[in-house]
Every structure is written in structure tokens, then in C-alpha cells.
């Protein structure tokens, strides 16, 4: 089952990473974490990569930590913290910090850390049959992988608190109506839509999009004054890219722009 816990594929202009332990709903082992980390590093190092599609094999997106690794033969459970420090926290930081859009195609249940990994992506598309579960409370744990930070920011404190405390599943349609994800899509159309979005990003002004990601993330810690200063700086940086010059020229010449993406001027 674990020959290839993560599958990575290079498409024209973007990479596709598929979590691949379908018999365990793609729950994380250390081997899978390492494979995912390597696949993300490969995508980041590839200058032609201008978007990332993250999805799961089989009927689930990801069921979080593989709990088989959390019970010893003598029936004991470990003291936790190490795996967050070594794997989950760096993973969330990496997903948020990648210099191109990350699209999650949530093909089925996303539970525990699997739910929060999906929500850490820039754009979340979900199959209509998918559900999102903060399952931590069911086993006496606390939402991790950024869940306590991102969930209240996406859906507000009342809903975040209730979901975290009850571990009630949220359907894709409800997740969309609450603003937790971008879109709920017919199951049969999910992957086509996700690829279409990544194809769109593969010819977008990538350096500008990376600045947009950073500006939105940094806004959480800023007051309006500080954010206005940040926008001035980021706009200055964006204006130095050849994509900005191309965008203006193409508009005035009434033609489609041809953006170079990650190439600096
Ligand atoms: O270091 C640390 O440990 C801290 C980090 C923690 C991060 C976390 O993610 S903690 C939370 C861990 N995840 C969970 O608690 C979720 C456990 N899974 C479930 O609650 C349910 O499986 C789902 C709600 C996700 C889906 O339910 P359902 O009915 O659709 O499927 P199922 O029958 O429960 O699961 C299918 C198979 O996957 C089943 O195996 P089997 O019986 O067919 O051999 C099940 O045991 C396996 N599976 C699902 N989730 C996990 C898992 N096996 C190991 N670990 C899992 N997390």
C-alpha cells in the first residue's frame, strides 16, 4: 500500500500532488510526510511551475494522522508535539508560503489535519459528496495544522467553536455557503474544474499572485495604516515585474497578455 504514498505529476505549467494511501483515506504516516515534503520542494524549485493541485486518491482527501502509528503494541499512546514540530507545522507554512497558487481538490472526506491542510490551500474546490470534519475532539485532541487560526477567520468564531467542539461534519455545499471553501462542485466535474483553474494560473502573472497571497496573509496582523504601507511596497514590487509591463501593453494593444510568470525582469 505504501510503495508510493504520494504521487507527483508535472503538467504544463503546474504540478499535481496526490495523497495516495486510499485504504486509510490517505491518513498521514511519516513516510507520507517526507514524500509530500519532497514533492512540494520539487514543485517550488521548478521555475516553470506556476500552480499546484493537491488532491487525494480513492474516496477520501485525507483523514489526518494515521492513528495506527499512535498506539504501541502495549496499548500506550505517545506524548504529542514532535510530529507537529517536525511535519505538520512546516507543511502548513510551506503550503501558505509557496510562490504560486495552491488549489485543493477535495475529492472526499477531509478530517483532522487533513481538513486543515485543505483549508490552508489558497483555493479549495470540493466534490459535492465531500465532508469537512474537525475530528480532533472525538479523540481528545485539539485542532492543529492551523485549524484554530484559519477556521475562525474563514467562518467566524461561533461556527469555528461549534465545529471544533462537536466534530460535526460539514458538507461541501454548507462549506461553500459559509465561506469555508471556494466552491462545491458535482463529483464528476471536480478534477476537470481543478485542472482548468491550474491551467488558468499557469499563464497568469505569477510573481504578482505571490505578492497577493502574502499581502492577504500579512493583513491579519496589521491595522489599516500598516496594511496601506504594505500595499504601497508590494505594488512597487509588482510594478517592477515584466508581467506588469506586459499587462499594460497588452491592454492598450487590445490583445491577450503573455505573462512570463516566475521569471524576474
Ligand atoms: O502527532 C500527532 O498525532 C498529532 C497530529 C494529529 C493530526 C490529526 O489529524 S489527529 C486526527 C486523526 N484523524 C481522525 O481522528 C479521523 C479518523 N477517521 C474517521 O473519523 C473516519 O474514518 C472518517 C470520518 C474520516 C471517515 O469515516 P468513514 O466511515 O467514511 O470511513 P471509515 O470506515 O472510518 O475509514 C475507512 C478506512 O480508513 C478504515 O479502515 P478499514 O476498517 O477499512 O481497514 C479506517 O480505519 C481507516 N482510517 C480512516 N481514518 C484513519 C484510518 N486509519 C488510520 N488513521 C486514520 N486517521
Amino acid at each position: 500500500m505504501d510503495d508510493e504514498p504520494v504521487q507527483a505529476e508535472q503538467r504544463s505549467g503546474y504540478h499535481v500532488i496526490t495523497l495516495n494511501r486510499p485504504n486509510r483515506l490517505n491518513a498521514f504516516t511519516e513516510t507520507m510526510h517526507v514524500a509530500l515534503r519532497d514533492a512540494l520542494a520539487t514543485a517550488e524549485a521548478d521555475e516553470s511551475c506556476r500552480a499546484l493541485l493537491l488532491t487525494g486518491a480513492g474516496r477520501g482527501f485525507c483523514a489526518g494522522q494515521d492513528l495506527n502509528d499512535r498506539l504501541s503494541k502495549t496499548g500506550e499512546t505517545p506524548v504529542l508535539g514532535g510530529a507537529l514540530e517536525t511535519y505538520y507545522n512546516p507543511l502548513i507554512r510551506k503550503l501558505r508560503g509557496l510562490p504560486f497558487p495552491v488549489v485543493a481538490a477535495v475529492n472526499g472526506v477531509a478530517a483532522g489535519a487533513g481538513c486543515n491542510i485543505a483549508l490552508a490551500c489558497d483555493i479549495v474546490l470540493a466534490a459535492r459528496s465531500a465532508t469537512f470534519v474537525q475530528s480532533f475532539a472525538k479523540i481528545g485532541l485539539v485542532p492543529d495544522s492551523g485549524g484554530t487560526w484559519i477556521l475562525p477567520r474563514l467562518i467566524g468564531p461561533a461556527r469555528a467553536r461549534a465545529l471544533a467542539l462537536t466534530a460535526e461534519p460539514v458538507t461541501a455545499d454548507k462549506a461553500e455557503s459559509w465561506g469555508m471553501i471556494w466552491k462545491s462542485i458535482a463529483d464528476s466535474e471536480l478534477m476537470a474544474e481543478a485542472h482548468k483553474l491550474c491551467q488558468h494560473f499557469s499563464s497568469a502573472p505569477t510573481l504578482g499572485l505571490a505578492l497577493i497571497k502574502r499581502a492577504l496573509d500579512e493583513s491579519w496582523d496589521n491595522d489599516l495604516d500598516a496594511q496601506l504601507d504594505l500595499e504601497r511596497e508590494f505594488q512597487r514590487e509588482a510594478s517592477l515585474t515584466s508581467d506588469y509591463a506586459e499587462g499594460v501593453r497588452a491592454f492598450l494593444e487590445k490583445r491577450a497578455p503573455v505573462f512570463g510568470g516566475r521569471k524576474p525582469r
Side-chain angles (χ1 to χ4, degrees):
M1 179 169 80
D2 275 359
D3 286 350
E4 208 182 4
V6 163
Q7 289 175 332
E9 186 194 344
Q10 266 175 256
R11 297 277 184 116
S12 173
Y14 64 102
H15 287 212
V16 183
I17 296 180
T18 307
L19 306 176
N20 187 37
R21 301 185 70 236
N23 295 341
R24 295 266 167 84
L25 300 179
N26 306 315
F28 271 94
T29 58
E30 283 193 16
T31 316
M32 183 161 133
H33 270 294
V34 171
L36 178 57
R37 193 174 62 198
D38 290 350
L40 292 172
T42 302
E44 189 173 14
D46 175 3
E47 283 215 350
S48 72
C49 179
R50 294 162 74 175
L52 177 75
L53 200 173
L54 180 65
T55 190
R59 73 173 180 89
F61 174 75
C62 176
Q65 172 62 40
D66 189 321
L67 296 176
N68 292 293
D69 293 353
R70 292 294 179 262
L71 196 64
S72 74
K73 288 199 176 82
T74 56
E76 280 156 8
T77 48
V79 177
L80 298 179
L84 297 191
E85 188 62 23
T86 309
Y87 296 117
Y88 289 100
N89 290 356
L91 169 59
I92 299 302
R93 290 189 177 109
K94 177 57 69 186
L95 287 171
R96 297 296 287 191
L98 282 171
F100 41 71
V102 180
V103 175
V106 179
N107 51 301
V109 62
C115 180
N116 295 331
I117 288 165
L119 299 181
C121 295
D122 294 305
I123 298 188
V124 186
L125 307 178
R128 197 143 290 143
S129 66
T131 52
F132 295 83
V133 199
Q134 295 292 326
S135 48
F136 306 89
K138 281 194 177 171
I139 55 169
L141 289 186
V142 179
D144 61 21
S145 302
T148 57
W149 188 87
I150 201 154
L151 208 57
R153 285 169 167 79
L154 290 174
I155 59 176
R159 285 168 172 162
R161 200 167 274 250
L163 289 187
L165 293 174
T166 64
E168 201 177 283
V170 177
T171 62
D173 279 350
K174 189 181 269 190
E176 179 187 317
S177 73
W178 281 2
M180 191 164 132
I181 65 167
W182 174 232
K183 264 185 202 168
S184 166
I185 293 170
D187 289 24
S188 59
E189 289 164 26
L190 174 72
M191 292 315 294
E193 282 286 316
H195 281 284
K196 205 164 109 189
L197 192 53
C198 287
Q199 281 153 11
H200 163 78
F201 286 134
S202 70
S203 56
T206 314
L207 294 173
L209 299 191
L211 288 168
I212 292 174
K213 285 178 57 157
R214 281 177 52 201
L216 290 170
D217 273 353
E218 291 189 26
S219 74
W220 295 117
D221 299 323
N222 286 340
D223 59 19
L224 176 61
D225 228 31
Q227 192 65 13
L228 288 170
D229 287 345
L230 178 144
E231 286 177 2
R232 182 198 60 226
E233 283 314 303
F234 281 19
Q235 204 67 298
R236 185 182 165 280
E237 222 179 296
S239 73
L240 293 170
T241 65
S242 51
D243 282 347
Y244 167 62
E246 167 63 5
V248 173
R249 265 190 243 111
F251 176 80
L252 295 175
E253 292 165 13
K254 299 192 186 301
R255 61 172 173 81
V258 181
F259 293 123
R262 292 174 70 189
K263 291 190 200 88
R265 184 138 88 172

